[in-house]
Amino acid sequence: MTAMRSYLDHNATSPLRPEARAAMIAALDAGGNASSVHREGQLARSVVETARAQVAALVGASADMVTFTSGGTEANALALKGAGVERLVISAIEHPSVIETARAAGAEVHVAPVTAEGVLDLDRLDRVLARDKRRCLVSVMMANNETGIVQPLAQVVELARQHQALVHTDAVQGAGKTPIAWPILGVDMMSLSGHKLGAAQGVGALVARDGLTLTPLIEGGGQEKKRRAGTENICGIAGFGAAADAARVRDEAARLTVLRDRFEAGLVDLAPDAVIFGAGLERLANTSCFAVPGLTAQLLVIALDLDGVAVSSGSACSSGKVGRSHVLQAMGVAQDLAAGAIRVSLGWSTREVDIERALAALKTVIERSARRAA
């Protein structure tokens, strides 16, 4: 990022951490194929296994539970398609990589609704699970990528166990932003993505409990314990491991909470009628999703960008997406308000000056809009 721009879209992708960059350059310089038995191959294998341990440590899992993938989308697909279940139950606010994969998985799909606050409706989930005893996988994200609202995973796991269902969580947004302890969480599978932590795009992981059988999406060689064939992306994996280690050690939730709260207080001062989705609920420390009545998301995204502030209108799953959020729709948010929803997401590189620049840019837009309306 340049000195005159503020990047506040970490939930879409987080800038490359210096630790990840250094690890990737070292891996590129080392060369070698991790499946080769010679010295260069052994060095490459060492890079992969070091990173595997680093990623596992971030979520409190053991290294042998980690399967590297090309990203969170592939990890979600491996979990949903590879589990071999007859039923899939997903929440209405899942990332498109879960929603679309579930539709294409060949299993019966049930969508569990959320409350108006954006939290999974546990009573409805219980009823959905009770009505059919076929082998089932429940997929509920750890925290929503648009609103930051944390989902009740402990209760989801408890309900799923009562109905002998497996549980997968898309933890792409939660990992590195909120503490994760695999043994306490109790899920069967968890998806992760490197570039949300400050690694490069193109690498992720599926963490799966011991003894779980998964049918691979990609067959060929015996890499990743035959769960994911193909020569490992050693450079990307090295960066992923380094970024995971940096996120675990630094644990910036407290710092980011202060910055997020400063932003939201400033926003309300500028626009007392602003709506902050999930305010008062447990949210990721780095995420603020809001709307100012009368201002469209397209206007805000473009105006802030011109003033040197990068934000988004929601999930970055589609190129150039500026439109109504399926997450807010599932929450029952009025269409006019949802059309103005903006997501500000902070990260390791965010500083106080970025928050002040964003508020100054918002002030300009809000005042200009008020003059036009007068």
Side-chain angles (χ1 to χ4, degrees):
M1 303 304 108
T2 67
M4 297 304 295
R5 285 191 64 82
S6 292
Y7 183 81
L8 300 179
D9 199 16
H10 283 255
N11 284 9
T13 196
S14 194
L16 192 65
R17 290 179 184 263
E19 299 92 339
R21 183 188 302 274
M24 293 173 69
I25 291 172
L28 285 170
D29 288 342
N33 186 317
S35 296
S36 299
V37 298
H38 47 60
R39 182 179 179 184
E40 288 79 3
Q42 292 175 24
L43 289 173
R45 172 55 55 192
S46 176
V47 169
V48 171
E49 297 311 319
T50 295
R52 197 186 308 277
Q54 290 171 318
V55 171
L58 178 65
V59 298
S62 60
D64 60 359
M65 297 162 64
V66 175
T67 298
F68 286 117
T69 66
S70 64
T73 294
E74 186 189 336
N76 285 337
L78 179 56
L80 270 62
K81 291 185 176 182
V85 297
E86 297 172 275
R87 299 177 68 215
L88 289 168
V89 178
I90 64 174
S91 83
I93 58 170
E94 294 302 307
H95 188 272
S97 64
V98 167
I99 295 173
E100 297 303 323
T101 297
R103 290 172 177 167
E108 185 176 339
V109 180
H110 299 270
V111 179
V114 296
T115 66
E117 289 74 35
V119 179
L120 179 66
D121 188 326
L122 293 169
D123 289 337
R124 295 285 294 275
L125 174 63
D126 189 25
R127 293 201 291 271
V128 168
L129 290 173
R131 74 171 65 139
D132 192 327
K133 295 302 181 184
R134 289 177 294 168
R135 182 171 169 78
C136 178
L137 170 67
V138 180
S139 183
V140 176
M141 61 188 2
M142 180 171 289
N144 187 258
N145 51 301
E146 296 187 24
T147 64
I149 296 171
V150 175
Q151 298 302 307
L153 270 183
Q155 294 95 317
V156 170
V157 170
E158 183 179 355
L159 284 175
R161 296 295 174 252
Q162 292 174 12
H163 298 284
Q164 293 77 52
L166 298 172
V167 180
H168 162 258
T169 186
D170 177 348
V172 163
Q173 294 296 344
K177 300 171 188 173
T178 188
I180 300 175
W182 176 275
I184 296 174
L185 201 58
V187 298
D188 297 289
M189 293 177 284
M190 175 190 297
S191 297
L192 306 173
S193 177
H195 75 103
K196 308 296 187 179
L197 301 169
Q201 289 111 336
V203 62
L206 181 68
V207 185
R209 66 166 170 80
D210 292 335
L212 186 66
T213 300
L214 287 172
T215 301
L217 298 176
I218 303 173
E219 300 186 37
Q223 294 91 349
E224 295 301 294
K225 296 186 177 179
K226 297 185 177 181
R227 283 185 169 174
R228 206 274 186 179
T231 302
E232 294 91 344
N233 173 12
I234 297 172
C235 172
I237 287 170
F240 188 10
D245 194 49
R248 179 181 62 83
V249 172
R250 293 185 182 181
D251 187 11
E252 294 194 295
R255 184 181 74 85
L256 294 180
T257 298
V258 172
L259 292 176
R260 183 199 66 191
D261 291 351
R262 163 67 187 120
F263 171 78
E264 292 183 347
L267 169 66
V268 173
D269 284 342
L270 293 172
D273 58 345
V275 176
I276 299 172
F277 302 105
L281 298 177
E282 183 180 2
R283 287 182 292 160
L284 295 176
N286 79 314
T287 304
S288 179
C289 183
F290 68 92
V292 178
L295 296 179
T296 67
Q298 184 174 20
L299 169 66
L300 284 170
V301 169
I302 294 173
L304 266 63
D305 185 49
L306 291 173
D307 268 352
V309 180
V311 299
S312 74
S313 63
S315 172
C317 59
S318 300
S319 177
K321 175 181 179 289
V322 178
R324 190 182 181 194
S325 158
H326 76 281
V327 173
L328 298 183
Q329 184 175 6
M331 293 166 60
V333 176
Q335 185 170 352
D336 288 349
L337 190 62
I342 292 295
R343 181 186 68 188
V344 168
S345 50
L346 320 179
W348 68 269
S349 63
T350 307
R351 298 294 179 264
E352 187 174 353
V353 66
D354 300 309
I355 301 302
E356 299 308 320
R357 184 176 288 131
L359 290 172
L362 276 171
K363 183 174 186 291
T364 299
V365 177
I366 291 169
E367 289 179 347
R368 184 185 302 131
S369 177
R371 287 195 299 270
R372 288 176 177 171

